[in-house]
Amino acid sequence: MKLLAFLAILLFPIFGTAQVEDSLQLEQYFAEAERRIAAYDFDGALRQLSTCYIRRPGHIPYLLRIGYCHTQLGRYPDAKLFYGEALKLDSLHTTALSALGSIYERERNYRKAQSYFTQLTQIDSTNSYYYKKSANIALHQGDAIHSLQQFIKAHSLNPADTEVITRLSTIYLAMDELGFAAEMIEKGLRLDQAYTEQRIGQLKEIIHFQQ
């Protein structure tokens, strides 16, 4: 036993040094992958990331970046596979959930996409982006009421989001809620003087109609 303990003491610095060197090397591969991603060289980034993944297959940052690269290359099945691996390690990982929801939205699988963003609004009820995504997906599903509710929530959390204001004004106009539509358009104009001539024209029409 004393001999084994002595050998362990002797070998520990060797193993420790090797682990540090390996970690540093992985950091370099990952940094190079990030550099290639910034240059839109997603295939090159994947080559760097594959080395990282082989050595540390359970490291979530590697899984997320691999999923991101495959998404940018249009390889959605591969992207979903790696994002799914990340969720196996952390079922509430918001980046993975959001990425999967967006992929299903691109594939026009709106039911599946909505399930992810509904889950995200439950995880973080203060994130206006999740409500905005949920609202846009509801519009694709033809569910105007749910879309309106989600856009209203998104607007309450981020009143300066002109995209949400535009969506709300359009929905209110379609519902003949001219007062609410005018209120939204006026908000948009106050936030952005270049809110588009079309919106100014709509506001003038609403005011004329109400008179």
Side-chain angles (χ1 to χ4, degrees):
M1 291 295 292
K2 289 183 179 179
L3 178 61
L4 288 174
F6 179 70
L7 288 173
I9 291 170
L10 287 176
L11 293 173
F12 179 78
I14 298 172
F15 289 131
T17 302
Q19 288 177 343
V20 169
E21 289 178 351
D22 187 60
S23 294
L24 288 173
Q25 194 173 48
L26 288 177
E27 286 179 13
Q28 291 171 354
Y29 280 120
F30 192 67
E32 177 62 16
E34 293 286 21
R35 189 189 69 77
R36 289 176 182 267
I37 287 171
Y40 303 99
D41 179 11
F42 300 111
D43 277 319
L46 282 172
R47 286 193 290 273
Q48 302 295 317
L49 290 167
S50 64
T51 300
C52 298
Y53 173 71
I54 289 169
R55 295 190 188 179
R56 293 184 66 186
H59 192 51
I60 289 179
Y62 298 162
L63 297 169
L64 295 177
R65 295 313 266 168
I66 293 171
Y68 176 78
C69 289
H70 281 303
T71 300
Q72 297 308 305
L73 292 166
R75 301 168 186 165
Y76 295 153
D78 290 330
K80 286 187 282 190
L81 177 66
F82 283 96
Y83 284 129
E85 287 299 312
L87 288 178
K88 287 178 183 177
L89 298 168
D90 180 0
S91 62
L92 301 180
H93 200 290
T94 55
T95 301
L97 290 168
S98 179
L100 283 169
S102 295
I103 289 172
Y104 282 112
E105 182 184 10
R106 292 185 189 186
E107 293 180 328
R108 299 185 181 181
N109 186 342
Y110 299 122
R111 182 188 62 79
K112 191 79 172 177
Q114 187 64 269
S115 69
Y116 282 103
F117 283 103
T118 296
Q119 186 177 352
L120 283 164
T121 60
Q122 293 168 349
I123 293 171
D124 184 0
S125 61
T126 66
N127 191 313
S128 64
Y129 174 77
Y130 298 152
Y131 286 101
K132 181 167 70 172
K133 290 290 287 186
S134 177
N136 278 318
I137 292 166
L139 273 183
H140 286 301
Q141 292 175 300
D143 190 346
I145 299 300
H146 183 63
S147 178
L148 177 62
Q149 292 170 341
Q150 299 297 88
F151 275 130
I152 289 173
K153 183 66 176 178
H155 179 62
S156 70
L157 293 168
N158 182 12
D161 190 329
T162 54
E163 181 186 351
V164 171
I165 289 171
T166 300
R167 293 290 194 181
L168 279 171
S169 67
T170 301
I171 292 172
Y172 282 134
L173 282 171
M175 295 172 65
D176 244 4
E177 294 286 352
L178 302 183
F180 288 126
E183 180 185 344
M184 286 295 110
I185 293 171
E186 286 174 348
K187 282 185 178 181
L189 291 171
R190 285 196 297 270
L191 288 167
D192 183 1
Q193 291 300 314
Y195 190 59
T196 76
E197 293 181 3
Q198 180 185 4
R199 295 295 164 191
I200 296 173
Q202 285 179 331
L203 180 59
K204 288 178 179 178
E205 287 179 14
I206 291 169
I207 294 171
H208 176 73
F209 183 84
Q210 289 177 328
Q211 291 173 342

